[in-house]
Amino acid sequence: MDTPTRLEPETRRFALISWPGLAAVLLAVSAFVLFGVGTSLPELRGFGYVPMVASLIVAWIADRNFARDLSVIAGCLGLISSISVEADISWTNIARMGVVLSAVVIGPWLITRYWFKDNTIVFPLRRGQKWTRLEWAWLAFVIVVAWLVLPQYFMRTGVYLNWPPVTEWDEIVRLFFGVNAVGIWDELFFICTVFALLRKHFAFWTANVFTTVIFVSFLWELGYRSIGPVLTIPFALVQAYIFTKTKSLPYTVTVHLLFDALVFLTIVYAHHPEALPIFIGV
């Protein structure tokens, strides 16, 4: 799906204080309730669809082109909310999540490309261009920071208990596969799809903040709770910036997978510290 199409097509950009801005805020609130509040307070989860419907009504009244793109995002969030994305490495759940999460990446690409005749959603590979020294240095920085911070976060808050206590080798393999598969999907959906569609209509940081709220809400249900947003909010904001600057999906995914590699090692270590003594201060 590599393409030379620009990541930022020329279109009308809306201010945050506008009717489209209100529609985007309502959709972000919807994600916050569905995946964030709804995880901690399941009885309130259903209320998350109210701001979602309101966002679409406002969007369609405000601007047709914007409403089409927001409807795509809302439809995806609605589909994701139909399943549980809490950490579960059973084969049944892996298959269920695989189908749904694949659909919300492939579906929007097909709809926007062939129905809307729009090339906003792209998966740029930046072939033939070597990574710069700064880009390599950033990868090293991510590894060091993740190694220092993630064990402290997971173990001192106890959030590692949100992931299954893997004991058998097949469970460890499934955990490794699941963590990395979701990491790749995060970039394909939240950056290449949600952020790209919002960036088409809003300034960079406005679109980035909206995407971050949706992304961090999803991560809360996935298991990054307690003080998790303190870590995941900066990570989400930086990932969109990296993708925009490098125009390289492989590089953006590599950053994410290095981070997730430390997440995987931390979870295994938290459950079996004697088997993987590679962290300090925990």
Side-chain angles (χ1 to χ4, degrees):
M1 295 181 182
D2 192 15
T3 172
T5 304
R6 291 172 300 180
L7 295 180
E8 300 176 10
E10 294 182 2
T11 188
R12 181 184 177 187
R13 294 276 168 75
F14 299 106
L16 173 60
I17 308 301
S18 63
W19 288 112
L22 174 60
V25 168
L26 288 170
L27 189 61
V29 170
S30 172
F32 177 74
V33 176
L34 286 172
F35 306 115
V37 176
T39 298
S40 302
L41 301 170
E43 64 274 13
L44 299 180
R45 187 181 182 96
F47 288 101
Y49 297 107
V50 176
M52 179 182 290
V53 172
S55 73
L56 295 179
I57 293 174
V58 173
W60 280 102
I61 292 175
D63 184 270
R64 180 175 177 274
N65 289 330
F66 168 71
R68 292 191 317 177
D69 292 334
L70 199 71
S71 296
V72 169
I73 299 173
C76 291
L77 296 181
L79 184 57
I80 295 171
S81 71
S82 69
I83 64 171
S84 170
V85 297
E86 294 188 63
D88 177 357
I89 57 173
S90 66
W91 285 115
T92 300
N93 191 62
I94 288 175
R96 182 187 302 113
M97 286 186 65
V99 170
V100 172
L101 299 188
S102 295
V104 298
V105 169
I106 298 172
W109 182 79
L110 290 174
I111 290 171
T112 57
R113 182 64 57 94
Y114 297 105
W115 186 6
F116 298 169
K117 306 300 180 182
D118 178 78
N119 295 330
T120 298
I121 298 177
V122 295
F123 307 95
L125 302 182
R126 206 179 75 174
R127 289 194 179 102
Q129 297 183 41
K130 295 181 179 180
W131 292 353
T132 67
R133 290 182 178 179
L134 179 59
E135 289 169 347
W136 281 106
W138 182 254
L139 296 182
F141 175 79
V142 168
I143 293 174
V144 172
V145 171
W147 179 72
L148 290 172
V149 174
L150 288 176
Q152 305 296 329
Y153 162 59
F154 272 84
M155 298 192 68
R156 294 186 183 279
T157 64
V159 296
Y160 72 91
L161 297 173
N162 294 329
W163 280 261
V166 290
T167 55
E168 302 298 330
W169 280 107
D170 66 309
E171 293 176 329
I172 294 175
V173 170
R174 275 182 277 152
L175 177 64
F176 178 80
F177 171 79
V179 168
N180 285 277
V182 172
I184 295 172
W185 176 83
D186 284 340
E187 302 303 326
L188 295 176
F189 179 66
F190 291 108
I191 300 299
C192 293
T193 304
V194 176
F195 171 72
L197 290 175
L198 291 174
R199 177 70 180 99
K200 177 181 173 183
H201 301 283
F202 296 102
F204 170 82
W205 284 110
T206 302
N208 198 359
V209 170
F210 284 144
T211 304
T212 295
V213 172
I214 297 171
F215 179 40
V216 172
S217 298
F218 171 85
L219 291 181
W220 182 274
E221 180 174 354
L222 186 62
Y224 294 85
R225 298 168 199 166
S226 182
I227 62 169
V230 175
L231 302 178
T232 54
I233 288 174
F235 180 78
L237 293 171
V238 170
Q239 283 297 94
Y241 181 81
I242 289 173
F243 179 74
T244 302
K245 288 297 182 181
T246 64
K247 294 180 173 60
S248 172
L249 177 60
Y251 181 79
T252 310
V253 167
T254 299
V255 173
H256 198 131
L257 292 187
L258 286 175
F259 188 87
D260 280 353
L262 271 298
V263 169
F264 165 75
L265 293 174
T266 299
I267 293 172
V268 174
Y269 173 82
H271 286 291
H272 309 285
E274 72 288 346
L276 199 66
I278 62 172
F279 299 106
I280 60 175
V282 289

